[in-house]
Amino acid sequence: MSDNGDVAHARSRGGLAAYQDARALVRLLQCSQCSRPLRTPVTLPCGNSVCRECLPQTHLRENISYPNAPDRHYGFQCPFPGCGEEHPLADCSVDVVLYKILESVAMEVSRSREASDNTPTALEEVMQWGDIPEDEKISAAAHARTLNGGRLVATFTFAELGELGYLSEVTYRSLSPTGDAYEELDKAFLERLREGAHKEVDCQVCYALLLDPVTTSCGHTFCRKCLVRVLDHAEHCPMCRRQLLIPASLARQPSNKTLSTLLYRLCPDIIEARAEAVRLDELGPPGGLDTPLFIVTLGFPSMPTFLHVFEPRYRLMIRRAMEGNGTFGIMMYNRLAAPQGDLGVTQFMQYGTLLRIVSVQMLPDGRSLIETRGISRFKVLEHGQRDGYTVGRVERVEDVSLTEEERLEAEETTAPISLDADAATQIDHLSTRQLLFIGIEFILKMQRNSAPWLHQRILDAYGGPPDDPASFPYWFASILPIDEEEKYKLLLTTSVRGRLKITASWIRRIESQRWYALTLNLMV
Amino acid sequence: MALPKRIVKETERLMAEPVPGISAVPHEDNLRYFDVTVEGPSQSPYEGGIFKLELFLPDDYPMTPPKIRFLTKIYHPNIDKLGRICLDVLKSNWSPALQIRTILLSIQALLGAPNPDDPLANDVAQHWKENQNAAIQTAREWTQQYAKPQ
């Protein structure tokens, strides 16, 4: 009863049962061209596999000069329906993992056949006429055999004899004197197969069961995600060091179809558990260190930030961000090694900006150009490492409420002021709107002077000055050529007024002699 | 952060099937840090010596190679005073399909086949090229002096 339950369970998950699905199991290993179990299997760039002997006739590929390797000059038309592409011979190597699996299966079959020479089952091929051309029907006749070893071994042997068409079905009739259908034999056999093949189907990068296997042109197979990570660091096959001439994202690289199907049909539960584990792993460690941090430069809320991603660890980070919620934090280097609150001296400044990826342009070598837009500011409360990059638990930094904002303005603008107050005190007394006007007027003046940092190209990227006092300082800081450390102060502010006071103080200093000479070089 | 499955498996296998002449034991408080010993290969000037090394698996291992250095003083043209090793598979020729086991075997092989044409310790390499017998003698003496089991 429970045995039948197991079978039902496996089949409900897409798995195949040893006895009930013996025919379908053997088909997983049959060559669709010659119908025999795959011999020296070759996996094609389209992800399908055939025996090396079954590769179609090659032809000379003309007018090809790059890459100019001798074996790229010959190719063939892919025999698989749905592909039909021309595959260069150079891209079709013996599939090492499949080869070893087939080898281990063939050995197990021959061993089992010898061990069970008195368990006859009559097999009869049932041809699927719909798939055979009319003129071949006459010569094609269904085969029948009596073979030993349970359904699986008998069916595999039937295929080895070349008498079981790839598409054909099989009817079974046990010839056991006791009426035993050898179901137990099949189960035990499949279990041995699983064990025998087990060590062949681990990825040589992560040491776990191959997940979404991708086979290289040199015939080596890795989990898709593992190979993508490998290509972040190198362009050579980890196994044989041959150069891999494939776009680093593997976006258009098909999975190894035979291997994927085989693994899924044989152990759907393990594959699903593994996929789930990888999914959880991609989410990052528990405990809130869930924001990836790109330590490179300043970003500002509502403003675009353009990044060139080339370091392997950041390529991985950006890829994970894209697969996840599309966000990551950007932070500035702590160049002066200043202590960062509770964190002590860290490599980065404690405040940063959460960015959302707007668009990604992947370059063929795996680098990328990304456009992002700032969402919000944050403060890092705790930080750690993940695969070479920094991750953090962050707290959002927000402005005070509007009533508090108003209270601040009223309080500061009405405080008594002496006639010889310094510039900072004078700024404190200006209304929030006046602070914004200082900025807008400065921009207009600089535009009249054709300051290069207000070039049309820059305005195209960042837009014109926003009217909104809350975001004006971020826009201003995005384009003004002054010290990053100065701009960083904006990230710590908690009021619109606080930010505008900072930008007004920059303008006052630029206009004063001290900064004027300094910034003139930058602005003219 | 949890230790990646790959590192767990590698460590288990190193413990279960150790390589003859090589041991690598992770620190209890940092499973990415290993105490390593390598026996000098027979028929080499390092024969009879047991060399201590430290090995660290960086965050992005196995995408980047382990960091390894000799702690025991050794007279070898490809190993410098600080114990740093000049070995291609630890640098540009690293591949994620290599592992702690294979890297330590490569280091042991390097002891058996010094390569003075690709030196890290220039003075040693010079010595090796000008008077190989004398250099080998020095290597032997150093082995006796510094790499003798306690």
Side-chain angles (χ1 to χ4, degrees):
Chain A
M1 182 68 201
S2 80
D3 276 4
N4 286 337
D6 285 351
V7 169
H9 173 75
R11 296 173 95 179
S12 74
R13 306 293 295 271
L16 293 174
Y19 174 79
Q20 289 81 353
D21 302 313
R23 168 65 194 110
L25 278 167
V26 169
R27 186 179 288 124
L28 295 177
L29 296 174
Q30 270 179 287
C31 172
S32 65
Q33 304 301 300
C34 69
S35 293
R36 289 171 197 266
L38 286 160
R39 286 165 300 172
T40 322
V42 168
T43 295
L44 312 179
C46 56
N48 293 299
S49 307
V50 290
C51 307
R52 189 166 56 187
E53 281 174 33
C54 296
L55 284 176
Q57 183 81 41
T58 58
H59 57 253
L60 190 63
R61 300 171 72 221
E62 291 186 37
N63 306 318
I64 289 167
S65 73
Y66 172 84
N68 194 13
D71 48 357
R72 297 200 72 84
H73 288 164
Y74 288 90
F76 56 86
Q77 223 58 42
C78 181
F80 284 88
C83 177
E85 299 271 320
E86 180 191 54
H87 297 315
L89 206 51
D91 289 345
C92 307
S93 302
V94 173
D95 183 321
V96 178
V97 171
L98 265 188
Y99 181 89
K100 288 186 176 166
I101 292 176
L102 263 302
E103 201 178 38
S104 122
V105 171
M107 252 169 57
E108 197 55 56
V109 166
S110 106
R111 207 177 299 149
S112 301
R113 209 162 36 210
E114 283 160 25
S116 51
D117 57 356
N118 194 22
T119 53
T121 300
L123 290 82
E124 203 167 314
E125 186 185 14
V126 181
M127 307 192 81
Q128 305 298 301
W129 289 110
D131 301 296
I132 295 176
E134 205 56 39
D135 54 338
E136 286 178 22
K137 279 187 185 174
I138 302 145
S139 60
H143 295 88
R145 282 267 183 177
T146 297
L147 296 162
N148 283 317
R151 284 188 178 181
L152 268 176
V153 171
T155 314
F156 192 89
T157 309
F158 205 21
E160 278 184 322
L161 294 166
E163 296 181 1
L164 176 59
Y166 179 76
L167 294 167
S168 299
E169 294 299 331
V170 179
T171 56
Y172 299 93
R173 190 162 43 88
S174 168
L175 303 179
S176 155
T178 60
D180 183 356
Y182 315 120
E183 184 168 349
E184 290 310 314
L185 222 51
D186 278 320
K187 277 192 188 158
F189 174 75
L190 192 63
E191 216 32 65
R192 286 201 300 280
L193 275 195
R194 280 203 185 100
E195 273 168 32
H198 179 70
K199 60 181 185 298
E200 312 298 349
V201 289
D202 276 352
C203 168
Q204 289 306 301
V205 172
C206 67
Y207 286 21
L209 184 69
L210 283 165
L211 184 67
D212 194 359
V214 172
T215 300
T216 62
S217 56
C218 46
H220 298 110
T221 305
F222 309 93
C223 305
R224 179 178 295 270
K225 277 189 193 296
C226 290
L227 188 55
V228 172
R229 282 197 65 187
V230 165
L231 291 169
D232 282 343
H233 293 259
E235 49 178 20
H236 295 95
C237 170
M239 299 302 285
C240 67
R241 298 180 201 280
R242 249 176 285 187
Q243 199 178 7
L244 296 172
L245 294 162
I246 39 177
S249 73
L250 295 186
R252 276 190 288 267
Q253 188 78 10
S255 307
N256 183 321
K257 292 188 179 125
T258 306
L259 206 47
S260 309
T261 319
L262 191 64
L263 291 175
Y264 190 71
R265 295 294 180 220
L266 281 183
C267 39
D269 291 341
I270 298 176
I271 292 282
E272 269 169 34
R274 174 116 163 72
E276 177 64 10
V278 166
R279 197 186 64 78
L280 288 176
D281 190 43
E282 295 287 306
L283 288 179
L289 288 176
D290 54 0
T291 306
L293 301 175
F294 196 162
I295 300 165
V296 55
T297 185
L298 276 177
F300 295 103
S302 72
M303 288 295 126
T305 300
F306 302 92
L307 296 163
H308 174 199
V309 184
F310 56 91
E311 271 189 79
R313 56 187 173 147
Y314 288 128
R315 289 193 202 173
L316 175 65
M317 189 194 94
I318 293 295
R319 207 161 50 240
R320 284 183 176 153
M322 289 196 298
E323 286 169 5
N325 60 8
T327 66
F328 62 91
I330 194 156
M331 321 207 67
M332 193 171 113
Y333 271 109
N334 185 359
R335 283 193 298 195
L336 308 172
Q340 299 299 309
D342 302 341
L343 303 179
V345 175
T346 46
Q347 195 201 3
F348 51 83
M349 303 294 275
Q350 191 174 14
Y351 288 80
T353 305
L354 195 67
L355 303 181
R356 180 179 303 288
I357 300 170
V358 176
S359 71
V360 178
Q361 191 191 342
M362 288 299 279
L363 305 177
D365 59 4
R367 290 181 299 136
S368 57
L369 301 170
I370 65 172
E371 182 187 345
T372 64
R373 190 158 285 270
I375 304 173
S376 57
R377 294 169 294 150
F378 61 79
K379 176 184 179 184
V380 175
L381 302 178
E382 200 186 335
H383 64 103
Q385 289 284 313
R386 182 172 181 220
D387 299 318
Y389 58 84
T390 305
V391 288
R393 184 163 67 83
V394 305
E395 178 185 77
R396 197 174 164 130
V397 176
E398 286 182 317
D399 284 344
V400 293
S401 70
L402 272 184
T403 46
E404 176 64 14
E405 180 84 46
E406 290 158 349
R407 194 192 62 72
L408 272 174
E409 180 175 9
E411 187 182 291
E412 289 182 5
T413 51
T414 55
I417 179 169
S418 63
L419 287 171
D420 55 352
D422 62 8
T425 317
Q426 285 179 21
I427 286 175
D428 274 350
H429 281 80
L430 294 173
S431 74
T432 304
R433 192 135 288 277
Q434 281 170 322
L435 290 169
L436 174 65
F437 282 147
I438 290 179
I440 304 274
E441 275 174 14
F442 179 73
I443 295 297
L444 291 174
K445 191 164 90 192
M446 285 292 138
Q447 262 174 337
R448 282 196 298 274
N449 293 347
S450 308
W453 51 275
L454 282 168
H455 191 278
Q456 192 56 43
R457 216 176 45 228
I458 288 168
L459 295 183
D460 285 347
Y462 292 90
D467 299 333
D468 175 18
S471 54
F472 175 81
Y474 297 138
W475 176 85
F476 192 46
S478 296
I479 62 170
L480 187 69
I482 60 167
D483 252 13
E484 300 276 287
E485 270 79 9
E486 231 2 270
K487 298 178 182 178
Y488 174 70
K489 291 177 183 166
L490 291 180
L491 297 185
L492 284 67
T493 57
T494 52
S495 69
V496 174
R497 201 174 152 68
R499 282 197 290 284
L500 286 168
K501 287 198 308 198
I502 291 174
T503 52
S505 75
W506 295 345
I507 293 166
R508 290 286 182 254
R509 281 159 72 185
I510 289 170
E511 287 174 341
S512 78
Q513 286 301 322
R514 198 155 56 88
W515 265 35
Y516 195 64
L518 191 75
T519 46
L520 202 64
N521 291 334
L522 295 167
M523 295 186 194
V524 178
Chain B
M1 202 181 96
L3 209 58
K5 185 170 180 176
R6 149 120 188 193
I7 296 181
V8 175
K9 279 202 175 177
E10 259 199 77
T11 308
E12 281 170 5
R13 285 180 205 170
L14 275 169
M15 300 292 125
E17 309 152 32
V19 194
I22 292 175
S23 82
V25 183
H27 277 207
E28 261 173 40
D29 55 347
N30 183 355
L31 296 170
R32 288 177 176 267
Y33 188 93
F34 291 72
D35 286 324
V36 175
T37 62
V38 172
E39 286 176 21
S42 59
Q43 323 246 305
S44 80
Y46 311 100
E47 184 171 4
I50 294 183
F51 297 86
K52 287 201 177 101
L53 298 89
E54 59 176 1
L55 181 152
F56 179 72
L57 303 175
D59 270 336
D60 44 4
Y61 179 81
M63 296 305 151
T64 55
K67 298 189 190 310
I68 310 181
R69 124 188 133 89
F70 271 82
L71 296 174
T72 307
K73 249 169 97 87
I74 182 167
Y75 197 75
H76 190 290
N78 310 106
I79 300 164
D80 75 2
K81 281 199 196 79
L82 299 174
R84 294 177 300 189
I85 308 161
C86 177
L87 188 61
D88 61 343
V89 285
L90 284 176
K91 306 213 163 66
S92 55
N93 269 346
W94 167 255
S95 145
L98 294 170
Q99 44 174 307
I100 299 174
R101 173 188 301 270
T102 48
I103 282 295
L104 293 179
L105 279 167
S106 300
I107 290 174
Q108 199 179 35
L110 184 69
L111 296 187
N115 179 8
D117 292 325
D118 182 20
L120 192 61
N122 279 316
D123 48 339
V124 180
Q126 193 70 17
H127 192 193
W128 219 274
K129 281 184 169 171
E130 284 168 2
N131 189 344
Q132 190 174 343
N133 287 340
I136 287 175
Q137 189 50 40
T138 310
R140 258 197 211 108
E141 284 161 13
W142 280 40
T143 305
Q144 292 302 319
Q145 198 173 344
Y146 303 111
K148 271 314 199 189
Q150 305 297 316

